[in-house]
Amino acid sequence: MAPRVPGRGLAKGLAVTLRTMTRRSHTAHYPDAQPALPPRTRGVIALFEENCTVCMLCARECPDWCIYIDSHKETVPPAAPGGRERSRNVLDRFAIDFALCMYCGICIEVCPFDALFWSPEFEYATEDILDLTHERDRLREWMWTVPAPPALDPAAEEPKEVGAARKAVEKAAAAQQEAGS
């Protein structure tokens, strides 16, 4: 066991301080120099409105209750003569209050139709807190900044769904070729 030297911890701390003081600091002057963000950075939540079915799962699962959705039902005429009319939900309002949002990503995870995505945009600060509620038009604009998903691993095995679909297409093509012969 080493003998205890009084002030050893203080000397170590001062050595670290002196080492840090002699190095040049790196300061990025933010508005002029954009930061180098890593890929798939979480900035804001973007909306792909075409995929939204107004199922309300995102609003129900949000722990902060910062997602506001309004919709109405619309009757769709039958696709074929003699069919029956269907009803579908139409999105009227989709807004997220980023003053309340804690960026947990639960809304993105629970969306069964891939209508919500993380966008790397982070420059949406305002001087008034009331302006942090962004409507669907602004959320749609951020959708175009969402990076493409990472490429699949070429060594991975084929998903069951893709294999089943491929076999069904091959089977249909073989039956069509057999019928044509």
Side-chain angles (χ1 to χ4, degrees):
M1 187 166 164
R4 294 179 70 69
V5 178
R8 183 173 165 211
L10 180 64
K12 276 185 171 180
L14 286 173
V16 170
T17 303
L18 287 173
R19 261 197 319 266
T20 316
M21 284 176 50
T22 58
R23 291 188 197 143
R24 286 190 69 89
S25 64
H26 172 73
T27 303
H29 299 283
Y30 164 62
D32 301 328
Q34 292 293 322
L37 299 172
R40 314 292 303 165
T41 299
R42 290 181 170 194
V44 293
I45 298 166
L47 171 69
F48 189 51
E49 193 174 337
E50 289 76 19
N51 285 0
C52 184
T53 61
V54 196
C55 66
M56 307 285 274
L57 276 174
C58 55
R60 274 185 274 158
E61 295 297 325
C62 179
D64 292 330
W65 293 81
C66 64
I67 300 175
Y68 309 110
I69 301 175
D70 292 329
S71 67
H72 69 275
K73 289 213 181 269
E74 191 175 84
T75 305
V76 179
R84 66 181 179 98
E85 292 181 337
R86 307 261 181 197
S87 67
R88 69 178 183 120
N89 290 327
V90 177
L91 185 65
D92 292 331
R93 179 180 186 223
F94 192 104
I96 299 176
D97 187 353
F98 286 105
L100 295 175
C101 183
M102 65 179 181
Y103 304 92
C104 63
I106 293 174
C107 56
I108 296 169
E109 295 297 322
V110 300
C111 183
F113 301 103
D114 289 335
L116 297 173
F117 295 89
W118 282 115
S119 167
E121 289 294 314
F122 63 93
E123 295 175 322
Y124 57 95
T126 63
E127 293 180 5
D128 188 9
I129 196 168
L130 298 175
D131 294 335
L132 285 174
T133 301
H134 295 293
E135 298 291 331
R136 68 180 182 182
D137 297 332
R138 182 76 188 267
L139 299 174
R140 188 183 319 118
E141 287 174 17
W142 285 328
M143 186 60 209
W144 310 119
T145 64
V146 172
L152 297 175
D153 184 6
E157 62 182 61
E158 184 177 58
K160 291 181 229 172
E161 296 86 0
V162 174
R166 186 177 34 74
K167 287 178 186 175
V169 168
E170 289 171 357
K171 192 176 193 181
Q176 187 179 16
Q177 187 179 20
E178 193 175 294
S181 305

